[in-house]
Amino acid sequence: MSRILAIDYGQKRTGIAVTDELQIIASGLTTIPSATTINFLKDYFDKEKVSKVLIGEPKQMNGEPSQSTEIIEAFVRKFKSFFPEMPVVRVDERFTSKMAFQTMIDSGLNKKQRQNKDLLDEISATIMLQDFLTRKMF
């Protein structure tokens, strides 16, 4: 089988998570500067077989697009132009940052460690991906 990759794209940083080859477990891969995302993905896709990519879709509580929607939509268009054959699934990313922060607390990270935005973005992508896997199974 192949992996599923999740992208939590942001204006400055992008968190990336990936499944194992059996698509059972989601794991954080890395957080990278957003400007380097396409180059990072080119390299990753050359090394690993990926069957689809999840990209977060930011929404407000009422379901309306959030302030960052325009930035992420521009990234999705760019992604599709570079990787036209790669299936893209948009997933609701509401609450992933709050859940990621709570995960950091539950993991026993101290206050200074919890201020690590890179780790927060990577965990957010992992939560998005694990939620997708859970929904896929049922």
Side-chain angles (χ1 to χ4, degrees):
M1 284 183 84
S2 58
R3 301 176 188 277
I4 300 173
L5 186 131
I7 299 172
D8 182 22
Y9 189 82
Q11 193 167 8
K12 295 179 183 177
R13 292 173 311 280
T14 296
I16 299 176
V18 67
T19 66
D20 59 303
E21 291 178 346
L22 297 175
Q23 300 180 1
I24 297 172
I25 299 170
S27 301
L29 184 61
T30 190
T31 298
I32 57 174
S34 292
T36 66
T37 304
I38 295 296
N39 287 335
F40 175 87
L41 293 172
K42 283 180 187 176
D43 291 341
Y44 191 81
F45 294 160
D46 283 344
K47 296 173 190 164
E48 298 288 341
K49 188 173 180 185
V50 176
S51 61
K52 70 179 72 161
V53 172
L54 310 181
I55 300 176
E57 187 169 32
K59 295 181 181 179
Q60 296 179 31
M61 290 295 294
N62 64 3
E64 294 292 317
S66 77
Q67 295 173 338
S68 57
T69 297
E70 195 172 306
I71 294 164
I72 295 171
E73 292 299 327
F75 170 73
V76 171
R77 287 189 298 275
K78 185 175 181 180
F79 178 91
K80 288 180 177 181
S81 73
F82 278 91
F83 311 106
E85 302 299 315
M86 181 65 68
V88 173
V89 178
R90 301 299 305 275
V91 293
D92 189 347
E93 66 176 35
R94 282 181 285 188
F95 307 114
T96 57
S97 292
K98 289 184 191 311
M99 290 174 15
F101 188 74
Q102 186 61 49
T103 299
M104 294 170 85
I105 292 170
D106 295 345
S107 297
L109 297 180
N110 65 37
K111 188 174 182 178
K112 179 126 176 100
Q113 292 169 317
R114 292 191 308 259
Q115 293 173 348
N116 181 345
K117 302 280 188 197
D118 289 355
L119 182 57
L120 184 72
D121 291 338
E122 184 178 326
I123 293 171
S124 293
T126 306
I127 290 170
M128 214 170 35
L129 183 53
Q130 189 62 53
D131 184 55
F132 176 82
L133 293 174
T134 301
R135 292 174 194 265
K136 187 176 94 166
M137 289 181 192
F138 295 105

